[in-house]
Amino acid sequence: MPLSEHEQRLLEQMERALYAEDPKFASALEGTGLRTYTRRRVYQAAAGFVVGIALLMGGMVAQQIWVSVVGFLVMLGCAVLAVTGWRRGPVGHGAGPKVTPPPRRKAGVMDRMEQRWQRRRDEQDGI
């Protein structure tokens, strides 16, 4: 569940206050440990993917279907780990907190229907 605008502003204010009070501590919390952990996880997943390819090919050469299936599953699992680790990525770097604007969304059909439904419920509660 995403944070509301008010909660995001409060969080940004807290981050700025932390940087103002103790910049050394704030930079230590910035995520360098997480960055190396993420990088290591992606490298391990890549190595596992190569092992999965070897198992897949070995199973095909030895005509052992179950070895090929295990190799494919290893490849699939490692690919998922690598992609999720890469997507999360390191958490920020630099001198201070980065302020990103909230994503804009177009009011689609579902949003309009939801607004109408909410208005009807509000009207019924008011009666």
Side-chain angles (χ1 to χ4, degrees):
M1 172 183 261
L3 297 175
S4 68
E5 289 182 31
H6 177 68
E7 292 170 334
Q8 288 177 351
R9 276 184 296 216
L10 285 175
L11 183 61
E12 290 168 6
Q13 288 174 355
M14 290 173 22
E15 287 176 353
R16 280 189 230 114
L18 177 64
Y19 275 98
E21 287 178 17
D22 195 357
K24 189 182 285 187
F25 178 67
S27 65
L29 290 178
E30 215 164 43
T32 55
L34 183 62
R35 187 177 304 135
T36 51
Y37 170 75
T38 303
R39 188 178 301 136
R40 185 179 312 129
R41 182 174 163 188
V42 170
Y43 289 151
Q44 288 172 346
F49 190 83
V50 171
V51 168
I53 290 175
L55 283 172
L56 181 74
M57 293 300 180
M60 290 173 62
V61 168
Q63 294 183 351
Q64 297 291 326
I65 301 283
W66 65 272
V67 175
S68 295
V69 170
V70 169
F72 176 75
L73 293 176
V74 168
M75 287 171 48
L76 182 65
C78 289
V80 167
L81 281 176
V83 169
T84 58
W86 190 264
R87 229 181 243 163
R88 288 182 192 149
V91 212
H93 56 284
K98 293 183 180 179
V99 179
T100 57
R104 291 185 184 178
R105 285 185 25 186
K106 289 185 177 181
V109 174
M110 293 302 291
D111 291 332
R112 288 193 304 264
M113 288 176 60
E114 190 174 320
Q115 288 171 356
R116 288 180 195 159
W117 180 258
Q118 192 63 34
R119 260 188 276 141
R120 288 181 188 149
R121 290 185 73 191
D122 291 343
E123 289 173 0
Q124 288 178 354
D125 290 342
I127 296 177

